[in-house]
Amino acid sequence: MTSRHPKSWMQLYGEPTFDPSPLSTKEQQDLALLSISTFQRALKDPNQLIRASALRVLSSIRVPIIVPIMMLAIKEAATDLSPYVRKTAAHAIQKLYSLDPDQKEHLIEVIEKLLKDKSTLVAGSVVMAFEEVCPDRIDLIHKNYRKLCNLLVDVEEWGQVVIIHMLTRYARTQFVSPWREDAVFDENSEKAFYDSEEERRVDQSKPYIMDPDHRLLLRNTKPLLQSRNTAVVMAVSQLYWHLAPKHELSIITKSLVRLLRSHREVQYIVLQNIATMSIQRKGMFEPFMKSFYVRSTDATHIKTLKLEILTNLANEASISTILREFQTYVKSQDKAFAAATIQAIGCCATNISEVTDTCLNGLVLLLSNRDETVVAESVVVIKKLLQTQPSQHSDIIKHMAKLFDNITVPMARASILWLMGEYCEHVPKIAPDVLRKMAKTFTDEEDIVKLQIVNLAAKLYLTNSKQTKLLTQYILNLGKYDQNYDIRDRTRFIRQLIVPNEKSGALSKYARRILMAPKPAPVLQSAFKDRDRFQLGTLSHTLNSQASGYLELSDWPAVAPDQSVRNVEVVEPVRLPCIYLRLVLNCFCVHVESVSESESKENSDDSNKSSSSQSEKSSSESDSEKKKKTLKNKKLQQQKPDSKDRQKRIRSTCLRIMQHNYSLNYYLPPQIIQKTLNIMTKYILIHIVLSISTPFFVNCMCSLLHLCVFLACQFDAVSWPVHVSLQASSPVFVPETSHELLHRMTGKGLSAQYRFTRQPCIYGNSMVSLQLTLSNSTDQALENIHISEKSSTGQNIHRFNAIERLEPQASVTVSMGVDFNDSTQAANFQLCTKEDEFSVSIQPAVGELLLPITMSEADFTKEQAGMPMKHQLTSQSIFLCISRFAGKTVSSGSLVLVSVALKDPDAVITINTEKTVMGSMLLRQVKTALTNSGP
């Protein structure tokens, strides 16, 4: 009976075999290059997520040969309309820098451009790239300092951490120290910008006033202490610690204590930083001392850090409470923690002289503890404490000598022996007896104990040679043949030093001064004493060692650098003088009704601001001269100049308006300026001037200029609803830029570029005309270059005639037509040669799918009323005059009506079309273009 289930793949074909040998570097590069063209096409995808993903994958390919391609992709992505793509470009900068550090200068240019980005999504990523590539280029931060401070609250959390650390380093180089004793602090110190000269002279008596930018940083980071992200709170805390005045440090205390309720990993870092702070600023954490009491559930490293902090916080008022806590900790089952507690008791006894005797008595009681670890640690601490007052504590030394036989820990036994030798004059009867016992067990002791036995024998030989001479010689003989070379060397040195003979030099005369010299008492201090040399919150501070990539905080400058480097010029909207309005009205011979008194006053105020001489002249005019001007205007209204003269005057007026808007002329090429001038000359609307007030028209004239430039660059022709008949015209502007269709590496030497000609297609009314440029970059001729008959997406494509032969390093231009069916879906087809086929695609913009048509105003209104309003947009940032555009789709001929209606202070863009998807895309592009081109 056969099974109904088919056999598995392995049963049919056997187990697959794989080549375990790794790919060579050349093979890896070849595989990477095969995928480059795919990623390059994806970089131009309409979807921002796909563009960002393509850049992320492209920058992750660690092949040096594609560095130029990566650099080009990063530069293009840095100017992308999507902030998410720009954020990805900032991430790619770091990857490219690690792959090729020689690209640093080019990457700095991209970083400088991205630092000016106003998006909060980009800020954190570009600052991270700045820290990675050029952290020393502080000059790049000057103009962006205030912007980063103001954006800080809205930046994502990890971006906040990076920006705060960068601004901390920046502030230490640009502001003077606020820790001076003569410092003066004022929350409203920003008024220094606007103080008069007299006020400044008075304020010169104040030695120091905080810089307003310094205060701006502290004020804008303060709300982040309430952040839910512990790294952000820690970053703000370290910023205040390194930059804030000392009396303002208390505001970070509660936030740091709040973090102690987090995970133990967070507690470890926070406690390390608090331990460093508590050494210099005990008063900060004294009100929260109970928060540092040890819990039974705490890990050992957490307990140890809390002990450090409690020791640092101890003073005359709180030492009794802390010592009671320590008594409980000594009884802990955690031996390491109990030993650390004894060390903490010793530190308290050293730092606070009032409790030294109390601590010593408590440690002596611990010598009878059953736990050897506690006893040993107590001996070591007592040894250090006795060095401060040895003559007053001879009884403690005797008590320790009696307990010597019961102590087995080598360090504790060595400590007792050192005390016996160092203070043998205070215990003259006990010390020789201890040496006698040690001589019996010398060979069984640890090395550290043997060394102290030799030292004890030498010191007793010098102070009590009658009783210990033979014992000393016996111990020296045992040490002479010990297995450890340190003990053998020490024994030979001691013998030559204390036992004079013929070979002994002059050094033996000073044996007593060498061995019995007074030793300074050891200083018991916190392990975090010197960690303040590292910036808080960094890896170097945690490790207490400088980590790779650590950037040190510079010292405060003695003199504050020039603060004007952070000033940013605010570009005000260009307001055209009223004279331009009069010129426009005179060109059209339009009668303008007199404005109200309030508007006249506003106009006069504007003219006063623009030109003082003009204001004086206007104020001196007599009533008779005003009447003459009124009569002159009436005569001009009655005159009807011919069309040529009128067009000439309009063109002259528009040229003056464009020259006034210098910022626009700065970046427009001459041909675009000429096209724009033509449009403004032909299509400025009379009824716009008649339907709005004079001041508002003056404010909107600059936006009208931007609109005309946009139309000159985007559309073939423009149909405006004026009262004169308009004729269909050829395209106003045809871009010369080409798009890549096939890369030479993907095409094996054959490359192809395409561009939209914006001309009627000769192959069909429903087709879009395209021009292809084919190039042969190989050393051999390419034959039979043509387009395959198959089209993967089903578009109707008129193919160019096959090119029989294309010589090496030669190019040829051909034309073709594509029916996109009123869709922005890419047209996919195969570009073939005699030997190969290459899949290529053409992605049209929505503007390339439209043709302009001429309609009268009545027809436009009629058609608009008969069509449902598909899309509408209201925006506060667009200030445009009323305009209408009529067009139709290339393929189906569907009407597309666009109107921009002005509603003070808003503008409403309405698109009427049956093509819903196309209307939505067109609306988005028009809105983006008009918003970006506003004043």
Side-chain angles (χ1 to χ4, degrees):
M1 181 175 178
T2 60
S3 174
R4 296 182 180 180
H5 300 284
K7 294 183 178 180
S8 65
W9 184 87
M10 294 183 60
Q11 290 174 341
L12 292 174
Y13 302 102
E15 187 173 353
T17 58
F18 300 97
D19 186 7
S21 60
L23 295 175
S24 63
T25 304
K26 184 177 180 180
E27 291 175 338
Q28 292 179 357
Q29 293 182 358
D30 293 341
L31 290 176
L33 293 177
L34 290 176
S35 61
I36 295 301
S37 60
T38 303
F39 300 139
Q40 286 181 309
R41 286 197 299 270
L43 288 173
K44 302 184 182 299
D45 194 272
N47 192 326
Q48 61 174 352
L49 297 179
I50 295 179
R51 296 198 302 274
S53 299
L55 180 60
R56 185 179 297 111
V57 176
L58 184 63
S59 60
S60 300
I61 300 177
R62 315 300 290 173
V63 179
I65 196 174
I66 67 169
V67 166
I69 300 176
M70 291 172 59
M71 176 60 71
L72 181 61
I74 291 174
K75 288 183 177 180
E76 292 179 354
T79 59
D80 196 278
L81 295 178
S82 170
Y84 181 72
V85 179
R86 300 197 298 272
K87 176 186 178 74
T88 308
H91 292 166
I93 290 174
Q94 307 170 54
K95 299 179 183 178
L96 180 56
Y97 179 72
S98 63
L99 180 62
D100 187 6
D102 295 336
Q103 302 293 326
K104 180 176 180 178
E105 295 301 324
H106 299 288
L107 293 176
I108 290 177
E109 296 177 1
V110 182
I111 291 174
E112 184 176 7
K113 183 185 300 182
L114 288 175
L115 280 172
K116 300 176 182 178
D117 201 304
K118 297 181 180 180
S119 174
T120 56
L121 193 64
V122 183
S125 300
V126 67
V127 171
M128 188 66 207
F130 170 83
E131 292 285 82
E132 184 70 22
V133 178
C134 52
D136 55 334
R137 288 291 304 273
I138 298 296
D139 57 295
L140 300 179
I141 306 299
H142 290 324
K143 298 295 183 182
N144 304 287
Y145 171 81
R146 294 170 185 167
K147 182 195 70 175
L148 289 174
C149 290
N150 293 324
L151 291 180
L152 193 57
V153 178
D154 298 321
V155 176
E156 48 91 17
E157 294 170 339
W158 294 114
Q160 290 174 344
V161 175
V162 176
I163 294 175
I164 290 173
H165 280 280
M166 185 274 294
L167 291 178
T168 303
R169 290 194 306 107
Y170 178 86
R172 287 293 287 260
T173 62
Q174 300 300 312
F175 308 128
V176 295
S177 174
W179 303 336
R180 292 162 47 180
E181 295 181 358
D182 56 355
V184 177
F185 304 99
D186 185 4
E187 279 290 336
N188 299 319
S189 59
E190 289 83 351
K191 66 180 181 181
F193 278 128
Y194 311 103
D195 283 349
S196 63
E197 292 297 329
E198 295 180 359
E199 291 174 343
R200 290 181 183 177
R201 291 170 187 168
V202 174
D203 290 340
Q204 284 179 355
S205 60
K206 299 179 181 179
Y208 170 82
I209 295 179
M210 179 175 285
D211 191 290
D213 289 330
H214 192 171
R215 175 59 61 190
L216 175 68
L217 177 60
L218 295 176
R219 184 172 61 248
N220 287 9
T221 53
K222 183 178 179 180
L224 297 181
L225 289 172
Q226 308 300 324
S227 176
R228 63 181 180 180
N229 189 297
T230 55
V232 175
V233 178
M234 193 65 246
V236 177
S237 300
Q238 66 84 25
L239 181 140
Y240 265 79
W241 176 258
H242 293 295
L243 301 181
K246 295 180 179 179
H247 69 274
E248 297 183 16
L249 291 178
S250 58
I251 66 174
I252 68 175
T253 307
K254 290 184 179 180
S255 299
L256 290 174
V257 172
R258 172 172 62 89
L259 298 183
L260 297 180
R261 302 185 182 94
S262 187
H263 305 289
R264 61 175 60 181
E265 295 82 7
V266 175
Q267 292 182 38
Y268 178 71
I269 300 298
V270 174
L271 287 171
Q272 278 195 327
N273 287 272
I274 292 177
T276 302
M277 296 179 185
S278 60
I279 294 175
Q280 300 182 15
R281 291 285 171 186
K282 293 183 179 182
M284 287 177 57
F285 299 97
E286 282 182 357
F288 305 93
M289 188 170 60
K290 291 185 178 179
S291 299
F292 304 106
Y293 286 174
V294 175
R295 296 187 179 93
S296 58
T297 56
D298 289 336
T300 302
H301 59 280
I302 301 296
K303 295 177 181 178
T304 305
L305 287 173
K306 287 186 175 181
L307 278 177
E308 288 280 352
I309 296 172
L310 289 175
T311 304
N312 295 337
L313 297 180
N315 54 28
E316 292 81 358
S318 60
I319 186 62
S320 58
T321 304
I322 292 177
L323 287 179
R324 283 197 297 270
E325 278 289 314
F326 286 173
Q327 289 177 3
T328 306
Y329 300 161
V330 169
K331 302 175 183 178
S332 174
Q333 298 297 322
D334 188 344
K335 306 305 179 184
F337 174 57
T341 303
I342 296 173
Q343 290 281 355
I345 294 174
C347 289
C348 291
T350 304
N351 298 333
I352 305 173
S353 58
E354 289 81 356
V355 297
T356 302
D357 295 338
T358 304
C359 293
L360 264 177
N361 295 332
L363 292 174
V364 170
L365 293 177
L366 292 177
L367 294 177
S368 58
N369 195 287
R370 297 180 181 180
D371 191 348
E372 293 182 358
T373 305
V374 175
V375 174
E377 198 66 33
S378 300
V379 170
V380 174
V381 174
I382 289 173
K383 169 215 165 187
K384 295 177 181 179
L385 293 178
L386 288 181
Q387 287 184 253
T388 59
Q389 298 173 337
S391 59
Q392 301 178 9
H393 303 288
S394 58
D395 294 339
I396 297 178
I397 298 176
K398 295 177 182 178
H399 181 69
M400 295 173 65
K402 294 178 181 179
L403 299 174
F404 184 80
D405 294 338
N406 299 327
I407 298 175
T408 59
V409 178
M411 179 57 71
R413 293 173 67 87
S415 298
I416 294 176
L417 290 174
W418 185 91
L419 283 173
M420 293 293 176
E422 187 68 17
Y423 307 112
C424 57
E425 296 177 351
H426 299 284
V427 284
K429 297 181 179 179
I430 297 178
D433 189 57
V434 172
L435 181 63
R436 178 182 57 81
K437 293 181 179 179
M438 290 294 98
K440 295 181 181 178
T441 61
F442 182 86
T443 55
D444 299 329
E445 299 290 343
E446 296 290 335
D447 292 341
I448 188 174
V449 180
K450 290 180 181 179
L451 290 174
Q452 293 303 325
I453 293 174
V454 173
N455 288 341
L456 175 62
K459 292 176 181 180
L460 289 177
Y461 182 86
L462 295 174
T463 58
N464 190 4
S465 58
K466 294 182 180 180
Q467 295 183 355
T468 59
K469 182 177 181 179
L470 296 177
L471 279 175
T472 301
Q473 292 179 353
Y474 175 72
I475 291 174
L476 293 177
N477 290 332
L478 292 177
K480 182 179 180 180
Y481 301 101
D482 195 87
Q483 295 180 355
N484 189 294
Y485 59 85
D486 285 335
I487 297 175
R488 295 197 300 269
D489 291 344
R490 178 70 64 85
T491 302
R492 294 189 184 98
F493 170 74
I494 293 296
R495 184 187 295 275
Q496 296 296 326
L497 184 63
I498 65 175
V499 182
N501 53 38
E502 297 178 357
K503 297 181 180 180
S504 299
L507 192 62
S508 60
K509 299 179 182 179
Y510 305 97
R512 187 179 183 88
R513 297 177 59 182
I514 293 173
L515 293 178
M516 304 300 295
K519 279 78 172 179
V523 179
L524 299 178
Q525 61 184 12
S526 173
F528 293 85
K529 179 73 173 178
D530 299 327
R531 291 205 186 187
D532 55 352
R533 68 182 187 275
F534 297 113
Q535 184 177 354
L536 297 185
T538 60
L539 179 62
S540 299
H541 177 268
T542 302
L543 301 178
N544 197 22
S545 176
Q546 184 167 337
S548 177
Y550 173 73
L551 301 174
E552 293 185 358
L553 285 178
S554 60
D555 295 331
W556 295 100
V559 179
D562 184 14
Q563 65 178 2
S564 63
V565 296
R566 292 183 291 276
N567 294 338
V568 180
E569 296 182 1
V570 179
V571 180
E572 296 291 341
V574 178
R575 295 181 179 269
L576 302 181
C578 293
I579 187 174
Y580 287 163
L581 176 62
R582 299 193 189 99
L583 290 171
V584 173
L585 298 179
N586 290 336
C587 292
F588 287 105
C589 303
V590 178
H591 172 71
V592 181
E593 298 180 356
S594 60
V595 294
S596 61
E597 292 183 2
S598 60
E599 291 177 343
S600 299
K601 292 180 179 179
E602 292 177 2
N603 292 337
S604 63
D605 292 341
D606 292 338
S607 61
N608 289 333
K609 293 179 181 178
S610 61
S611 174
S612 60
S613 61
Q614 182 180 355
S615 175
E616 294 174 0
K617 183 178 179 180
S618 61
S619 62
S620 63
E621 288 181 347
S622 63
D623 296 338
S624 59
E625 290 177 344
K626 294 182 180 179
K627 292 180 180 179
K628 289 180 181 180
K629 288 187 176 182
T630 304
L631 294 174
K632 185 178 179 180
N633 289 337
K634 290 182 178 180
K635 290 180 180 180
L636 288 174
Q637 294 168 9
Q638 295 174 358
Q639 294 176 357
K640 293 184 179 180
D642 57 0
S643 59
K644 292 184 178 179
D645 183 49
R646 181 174 59 187
Q647 185 176 3
K648 183 178 180 180
R649 291 197 295 174
I650 295 173
R651 186 179 185 87
S652 176
T653 302
C654 294
L655 181 60
R656 294 182 65 179
I657 294 175
M658 292 187 66
Q659 290 175 349
H660 183 83
N661 193 3
Y662 60 89
S663 62
L664 182 64
N665 291 334
Y666 180 77
Y667 62 83
L668 281 180
Q671 62 270 24
I672 298 300
I673 295 177
Q674 188 66 23
K675 298 294 185 182
T676 305
L677 189 59
N678 292 338
I679 292 178
M680 292 185 68
T681 304
K682 286 185 179 182
Y683 306 125
I684 290 185
L685 306 181
I686 301 174
H687 71 274
I688 295 177
V689 182
L690 296 176
S691 61
I692 59 178
S693 62
T694 300
F696 193 75
F697 174 77
V698 173
N699 296 340
C700 294
M701 187 58 70
C702 183
S703 295
L704 176 62
L705 176 59
H706 283 283
L707 174 61
C708 294
V709 174
F710 164 71
L711 295 172
C713 299
Q714 297 291 330
F715 298 99
D716 294 342
V718 181
S719 178
W720 295 85
V722 296
H723 295 292
V724 294
S725 59
L726 298 178
Q727 301 294 330
S729 60
S730 59
V732 177
F733 173 72
V734 179
E736 297 295 332
T737 58
S738 300
H739 307 278
E740 185 180 75
L741 182 65
L742 179 65
H743 193 269
R744 59 182 179 82
M745 298 181 67
T746 307
K748 298 181 179 180
L750 175 64
S751 62
Q753 304 282 335
Y754 72 91
R755 72 181 187 90
F756 295 92
T757 62
R758 297 189 177 177
Q759 298 289 343
C761 185
I762 60 176
Y763 307 116
N765 295 331
S766 62
M767 290 187 176
V768 177
S769 179
L770 292 144
Q771 187 180 82
L772 268 66
T773 302
L774 305 173
S775 302
N776 181 8
S777 59
T778 63
D779 298 330
Q780 300 178 356
L782 297 176
E783 298 179 356
N784 192 20
I785 302 175
H786 64 281
I787 295 178
S788 175
E789 296 294 329
K790 297 180 179 180
S791 177
S792 60
T793 53
Q795 289 97 339
N796 183 16
I797 300 177
H798 187 279
R799 300 161 183 81
F800 60 84
N801 296 330
I803 302 173
E804 296 181 357
R805 183 181 179 86
L806 183 60
E807 296 298 330
Q809 307 301 325
S811 300
V812 64
T813 301
V814 296
S815 60
M816 60 179 295
V818 180
D819 186 359
F820 288 99
N821 298 322
D822 296 341
S823 172
T824 57
Q825 183 179 2
N828 300 322
F829 55 92
Q830 284 75 36
L831 184 61
C832 309
T833 61
K834 184 178 180 180
E835 300 177 354
D836 300 291
E837 292 185 0
F838 308 102
S839 297
V840 295
S841 63
I842 296 177
Q843 180 80 41
V846 65
E848 304 294 346
L849 305 179
L850 300 177
L851 286 177
I853 61 174
T854 303
M855 296 180 66
S856 64
E857 183 178 3
D859 293 337
F860 188 99
T861 305
K862 181 180 178 181
E863 293 291 342
Q864 191 179 35
M867 298 174 63
M869 184 172 59
K870 300 294 183 182
H871 305 279
Q872 184 174 1
L873 170 72
T874 303
S875 176
Q876 297 283 349
S877 60
I878 305 175
F879 295 90
L880 301 173
C881 300
I882 300 174
S883 58
R884 298 182 177 90
F885 171 82
K888 67 175 183 178
T889 60
V890 177
S891 180
S892 63
S894 300
L895 272 178
V896 179
L897 303 179
V898 181
S899 62
V900 181
L902 184 63
K903 292 184 179 180
D904 186 10
D906 299 333
V908 179
I909 301 174
T910 305
I911 297 180
N912 298 82
T913 178
E914 297 176 357
K915 300 291 184 179
T916 306
V917 177
M918 180 177 292
S920 177
M921 297 177 66
L922 181 62
L923 176 66
R924 184 166 58 251
Q925 291 190 9
V926 171
K927 178 208 169 184
T928 302
L930 296 183
T931 304
N932 293 339
S933 63

